[in-house]
Amino acid sequence: MTYRSRLLAVLRTPPGLVALAALALLAGLALLAPPLLGETAGRMDPLAMGEGVSALHPLGTDDLGRDLLARILVATRLSLGLALAA
């Protein structure tokens, strides 16, 4: 069995499809998040420093008042690039 036929066989299984969908979602986030959320991820809000979970900040804020969800999504591109380089 060749590498390509094994890959196609794996992608025909439910776990293979879920993995492919997760990779596609991750790649989409890596491409779309920095242009859409880049400014939000770096914006400091002294009034929101150390806030917990809220409707405005789904994962809360850090010690400088930056939205944690936006920062995580923007860093996805760097994380994927480093993983591929490794």
Side-chain angles (χ1 to χ4, degrees):
M1 198 177 237
T2 66
Y3 177 74
R4 183 179 174 151
S5 62
R6 281 187 184 179
L7 181 62
L8 290 175
V10 168
L11 291 178
R12 288 187 185 126
T13 64
L17 290 175
V18 169
L20 182 64
L23 286 174
L25 177 66
L26 201 57
L29 282 174
L31 292 174
L32 296 176
L36 295 177
L37 299 172
E39 186 178 314
T40 304
R43 186 180 312 123
M44 291 184 240
D45 183 4
L47 299 176
M49 291 169 51
E51 268 189 19
V53 176
S54 68
L56 188 57
H57 305 288
L59 294 180
T61 61
D62 64 6
D63 292 338
L64 297 174
R66 299 174 295 192
D67 187 290
L68 290 176
L69 179 61
R71 293 182 61 77
I72 289 169
L73 292 176
V74 168
T76 303
R77 179 181 290 176
L78 176 63
S79 298
L80 280 180
L82 290 172
L84 289 173

